[in-house]
Amino acid sequence: MNDSNALYQDAIKQFAQAAHGHGQLAAATGEAKLDNPLCGDRVRMQVEVASGHIAAVAHETKGCLLCRAAASAIGARAVGQDEAAIESVATALENMLKNETPVPAGWPELSMFEPARAYPSRHRCVLLPFRALLAALTESRR
Amino acid sequence: MSATPASLRDEFPLLAATPQLHYLDSAATSQIHRMALDAVVRHETTRRANVSRGTYRLAEAADLAYEQARQTAARFLNATSADEVIFTSGATASLNLVAHAFGGTLKAGDRVVISLAEHHSNFVPWQMLRERTGIELALIPVTTSGQLDLTSLPELIDSKCRLVAVTQCSNVTGAWTDVATLVAAARKVGAKVLLDGAQAVQHGPQDVRALGIDFYAFSGHKCFGPGGVGVLWGRGELLAAMPPFLAGGGMISEVTPQATTWATPPQRFEAGTPPIAQAVGLAAALEWMMSLDWPQIHAREARLCERLIEGLLRIPGLRLLGPEAQEARAPIVSFEIPGLHPHDICQVLDAHQLALRGGHHCAQPLLAALGAEVCTRASIALYNDEADIAALLDGLGFVLRELA
């Protein structure tokens, strides 16, 4: 009956509450704002890229717990990675949700979203911050 | 007829099959009545043929069923003639039809007045018309409780105004529109009035003549009928003066290599094969609705709404959107709980067999005007009962414990 207990495990609540990376960057090289039109989730993601790697990341996220937890995971883990690595994680995360493949390598905390596999309408909540990060990285290259 | 919610619930196949489900999302889609479902199946298995085209007996039977459905819809609306009833794919298509066809008779500088309380489907078509033709689009503001602020009418509805197109009932706050005041203001300047009845129709038959309006739009899936069908009612003389919206088979008088002349309404506005079985199913739902004791149903819906609001207001910090007075609102109750996102709320409620909608409800301008971005909505229909309300209030207790 209480399937939502599995979805809203402590890790998601803790990550959402910690809001790693919340804020703005003074010297962003790329920025993207993405919305989820279904529920109104909204992410503003900023990156500072130096020598092809993320030197700093910051986000302002208005949204559900899943969206906020995903943005927070990025805040905790993305620094030091390059665009190819982020693209690989985003693809692996989408596959984990849709095709039940393993948790993206090097991002063990993303296992907190495994229970969301059962709720396809929520996948976009989890993926939105990653899409925003990729869009910010694309912007940074221009 | 004095049916109870329990006996009414049994008339809806999905609800009868899932006694544990507390369905509180009828503002999005109502459940389909058994008679409507049976009518669709009966039509598709005994009279399925295209309409207005064939001369064989099966086609004649399909024609008859489809035109009888039109007559039923006309009676549901107390229209003067069934020829004023156009079947569409839903309220959105009906509203777009008016924006294109009636909108095609407007010129740059003419004013269309809508309100901040509109569903996007009665907002965006008018913005698009503004882009196409240069009309002026004016907005009736809303009060802090989401009702249309009619003190603005003298400035908005003047000699430039050609059409007032507003919701009859908000899909977010449940606020009823004061139609009589709007119609009086429009009549003074010769403007026409369109009502978006999408949220009103599941609360009883309508009387377009008593309302004094010119166009009325609604969807079948929101009044216990099938999806994929809706109605646009328009005054006969207005429809006769309007150009078609979509072009295709069935809407012409004659096509030559050089030019085409249009059929008379309603066929002029029903290009292509219409949703035949869906219209027949909708008619069955409307016939059933016309047999009900609506004062009794309204009293019950209002009691449930009041009980829900009382319970919600006991939740610390909860903000209720919409009018406080019961008589000013349909049983649609939207709310915010600080720190909790509606999608998370609805997800936890779902685990407790509660079906509610969370989000912006396709009414972003209204939510912005109310100082909100998203909210959670419970909508009550005639098959809901005290157990549904109690389950929701209990469920919100779980939400607070699980998410807070």
Side-chain angles (χ1 to χ4, degrees):
Chain A
M1 170 115 176
N2 291 324
D3 292 342
S4 67
N5 287 333
L7 182 58
Y8 292 107
Q9 52 185 276
D10 286 346
I12 283 182
K13 288 190 270 188
Q14 284 163 5
F15 259 90
Q17 193 166 13
H20 299 297
H22 172 77
Q24 293 185 29
L25 296 181
T29 55
E31 175 179 325
K33 291 179 193 171
L34 290 190
D35 292 351
N36 177 352
L38 179 71
C39 61
D41 285 348
R42 185 168 295 168
V43 178
R44 178 192 188 197
M45 188 71 68
Q46 291 181 311
V47 288
E48 183 184 335
V49 177
S51 304
H53 290 75
I54 297 173
V57 64
H59 62 89
E60 291 176 318
T61 303
K62 279 187 171 180
C64 64
L65 280 170
L66 302 188
C67 185
R68 286 161 47 209
S72 182
I74 287 171
R77 185 71 71 173
V79 170
Q81 312 245 5
D82 62 14
E83 188 173 351
I86 296 298
E87 203 163 324
S88 170
V89 169
T91 302
L93 179 60
E94 186 165 4
N95 281 332
M96 182 193 89
L97 292 168
K98 293 181 175 167
N99 303 319
E100 305 203 12
T101 52
V103 178
W107 292 60
E109 61 277 8
L110 296 183
S111 64
M112 65 185 162
F113 297 120
E114 284 181 309
R117 285 169 172 157
Y119 307 100
S121 67
R122 307 302 303 277
H123 293 178
R124 67 188 86 187
C125 307
V126 177
L127 295 170
L128 186 70
F130 284 88
R131 288 175 178 153
L133 177 57
L134 286 169
L137 288 167
T138 301
E139 184 64 28
S140 182
R141 269 193 283 111
R142 288 182 178 156
Chain B
M1 181 170 174
S2 59
T4 64
S7 65
L8 285 175
R9 190 178 167 106
D10 287 342
E11 296 183 39
F12 290 81
L14 185 142
L15 297 177
T18 51
Q20 74 280 14
L21 175 66
H22 300 287
Y23 188 75
L24 290 163
D25 196 22
S26 295
T29 285
S30 64
Q31 292 303 323
I32 187 169
H33 191 270
R34 183 188 297 121
M35 288 170 68
L37 197 56
D38 288 349
V40 172
V41 172
R42 192 164 53 248
H43 182 86
E44 295 287 40
T45 52
T46 63
R47 296 185 301 245
R48 182 180 167 93
N50 214 324
V51 292
S52 310
R53 286 153 173 82
T55 55
Y56 47 91
R57 281 169 292 169
L58 190 64
E60 296 277 12
D63 272 348
L64 183 63
Y66 185 62
E67 293 308 323
Q68 282 176 341
R70 200 188 301 281
Q71 288 170 13
T72 301
R75 278 193 290 115
F76 181 81
L77 296 171
N78 194 30
T80 305
S81 163
D83 289 341
E84 296 182 328
V85 171
I86 298 158
F87 284 118
T88 66
S89 64
T92 296
S94 299
L95 295 164
N96 275 273
L97 195 164
V98 180
H100 278 262
F102 182 79
T105 69
L106 304 182
K107 60 183 188 307
D110 286 344
R111 184 183 299 149
V112 171
V113 174
I114 60 174
S115 84
L116 274 176
E118 301 312 308
H119 187 282
H120 292 167
S121 58
N122 195 36
F123 213 112
V124 182
W126 304 108
Q127 289 179 321
M128 293 173 72
L129 178 66
R130 180 179 60 190
E131 299 308 310
R132 286 197 304 276
T133 66
I135 61 147
E136 183 188 318
L137 185 58
L139 296 169
I140 300 172
V142 292
T143 65
T144 52
S145 61
Q147 291 175 296
L148 271 56
D149 182 358
L150 301 185
T151 59
S152 64
L153 292 191
E155 293 162 30
L156 300 178
I157 303 181
D158 60 15
S159 59
K160 284 177 70 180
C161 178
R162 297 286 309 279
L163 178 71
V164 180
V166 293
T167 185
Q168 189 178 8
C169 170
S170 165
N171 69 311
V172 176
T173 66
W176 289 105
T177 296
D178 177 356
V179 178
T181 299
L182 277 169
V183 167
R187 288 286 170 261
K188 273 188 195 168
V189 298
K192 308 304 178 195
V193 178
L194 177 156
L195 271 192
D196 172 1
Q199 292 301 329
V201 284
Q202 70 178 246
H203 302 292
Q206 302 295 316
D207 186 337
V208 292
R209 283 189 275 179
L211 287 165
I213 56 174
D214 302 286
F215 297 104
Y216 192 87
F218 73 93
S219 293
H221 73 98
K222 283 188 165 68
C223 54
F224 317 113
V229 65
V231 164
L232 173 67
W233 168 83
R235 282 189 191 276
E237 66 272 21
L238 290 175
L239 295 180
M242 284 159 47
F245 169 33
L246 296 176
M251 48 73 74
I252 56 92
S253 173
E254 184 183 22
V255 179
T256 69
Q258 290 74 36
T260 297
T261 54
W262 316 129
T264 54
Q267 284 76 23
R268 183 185 300 169
F269 302 104
E270 293 183 356
T273 298
I276 304 163
Q278 293 92 329
V280 170
L282 171 59
L286 299 180
E287 287 282 10
W288 173 74
M289 287 183 73
M290 286 188 279
S291 75
L292 300 177
D293 179 347
W294 283 100
Q296 183 203 46
I297 291 169
H298 290 158
R300 192 165 62 219
E301 287 177 342
R303 274 200 307 276
L304 295 178
C305 188
E306 196 171 358
R307 159 114 177 75
L308 173 58
I309 289 174
E310 279 172 10
L312 290 175
L313 291 177
R314 284 200 287 270
I315 296 174
L318 181 141
R319 179 190 174 208
L320 193 69
L321 305 179
E324 286 178 18
Q326 276 295 320
E327 62 276 12
R329 65 152 74 222
I332 298 171
V333 182
S334 292
F335 57 89
E336 292 180 298
I337 301 177
L340 299 185
H341 191 280
H343 266 197
D344 297 322
I345 293 173
C346 292
Q347 191 86 58
V348 175
L349 292 176
D350 174 58
H352 295 274
Q353 302 295 340
L354 285 146
L356 278 81
R357 167 101 177 263
H360 56 56
H361 309 284
C362 301
Q364 287 179 311
L366 173 61
L367 284 172
L370 297 175
E373 287 191 6
V374 287
C375 61
T376 306
R377 179 184 71 189
S379 46
I380 295 166
L382 45 71
Y383 36 62
N384 290 118
D385 60 16
E386 291 284 348
D388 296 321
I389 305 305
L392 174 53
L393 295 173
D394 285 349
L396 287 170
F398 286 112
V399 168
L400 293 172
R401 286 194 289 279
E402 192 166 334
L403 297 182

